[in-house]
Amino acid sequence: MPARCEKAPGLRAQLRAATQSDHQSLDDMLGSLDLADRHDYIRFLDVQLRARLGVEQWLFQHCPYEWLPPSQITLLRRDLEWLGHTVAEGSAPAFVAPAVSPSAWLGAAWVLAGSPLGNKMMERELAPRVAPSWPMAFVRDEAMPRYFKALRPLLESNQQDLPAEWAARAVFGHFNSICGERLAVHA
């Protein structure tokens, strides 16, 4: 990963370097799940839904309208409902960023926008192991990759952006906290 960080444009490299260990922790926790197993897949989707609800709400309040990432909540709910699992309304924790400045949204949006890259790898590994009807609206989403492509020019700045970095780290912290809690509860 460090080699990729060195080659990435300035702000993207800063965000990657700052969140590398948090990102790895999340990958390790979620990587312990067998997504072809119904129970584990529900756990994965549940973590994604609970964490994204708070981050998406925060972005709705702090992100310029034209840069709001596409919501993935409906996709997650659709997959969970297909699996017979519903999430109680109001059960998702709020997301709070450590600093709110005009650019903090960019760090949070970068984290959400980058997740479909991992989803595509998951889908390639998962598809041959599950029935064709397996619910994968979330992992097959095409809107977020298009958003990430549109966001990339903003991430190519060579200026340091501490509020964006802090927000990105806070998003990973939010995901890690929810993931650790949900995986322990439903083990």
Side-chain angles (χ1 to χ4, degrees):
M1 180 115 160
R4 285 180 47 203
C5 290
E6 291 171 13
K7 294 180 182 179
L11 180 55
R12 222 169 31 165
Q14 175 192 351
L15 296 175
R16 279 186 185 168
T19 60
Q20 185 174 357
S21 65
D22 296 324
H23 191 171
Q24 189 61 54
S25 294
L26 184 61
D27 284 353
D28 290 347
M29 282 190 282
L30 292 175
S32 70
L33 300 173
D34 176 2
L35 301 185
D37 174 81
R38 182 186 198 94
H39 176 71
D40 278 359
Y41 193 51
I42 288 172
R43 293 165 67 195
F44 167 76
L45 295 171
D46 180 68
V47 165
Q48 293 290 330
L49 177 61
R50 288 173 189 278
R52 286 172 187 276
L53 275 166
V55 176
E56 285 189 15
Q57 289 169 352
W58 184 89
L59 280 165
F60 186 76
Q61 295 171 349
H62 300 285
C63 180
Y65 178 77
E66 64 274 15
W67 288 108
L68 273 173
S71 177
Q72 295 185 309
I73 301 306
T74 301
L75 301 173
L76 287 159
R77 283 190 172 136
R78 183 183 318 154
D79 286 346
L80 284 165
E81 286 173 12
W82 188 96
L83 292 163
H85 180 80
T86 55
V87 177
E89 293 297 318
S91 63
F95 169 73
V96 179
V100 178
S101 75
S103 65
W105 70 270
L106 187 54
W110 171 78
V111 174
L112 293 188
S115 67
L117 303 174
N119 288 356
K120 291 299 173 197
M121 291 189 301
M122 281 187 272
E123 179 196 2
R124 280 193 298 268
E125 189 273 331
L126 184 59
R129 298 177 55 221
V130 296
S133 61
W134 194 252
M136 290 196 276
F138 172 67
V139 297
R140 289 183 171 154
D141 175 48
E142 293 297 324
M144 195 63 88
R146 285 192 301 273
Y147 173 76
F148 184 70
K149 188 175 182 178
L151 193 65
R152 286 181 75 159
L154 298 180
L155 299 166
E156 292 176 3
S157 166
N158 284 320
Q159 295 181 358
Q160 294 285 308
D161 191 330
L162 288 177
E165 178 184 319
W166 296 332
R169 291 194 71 195
V171 170
F172 274 112
H174 180 72
F175 268 82
N176 277 320
S177 174
I178 291 170
C179 188
E181 171 193 316
R182 299 307 296 170
L183 295 189
V185 168
H186 296 290

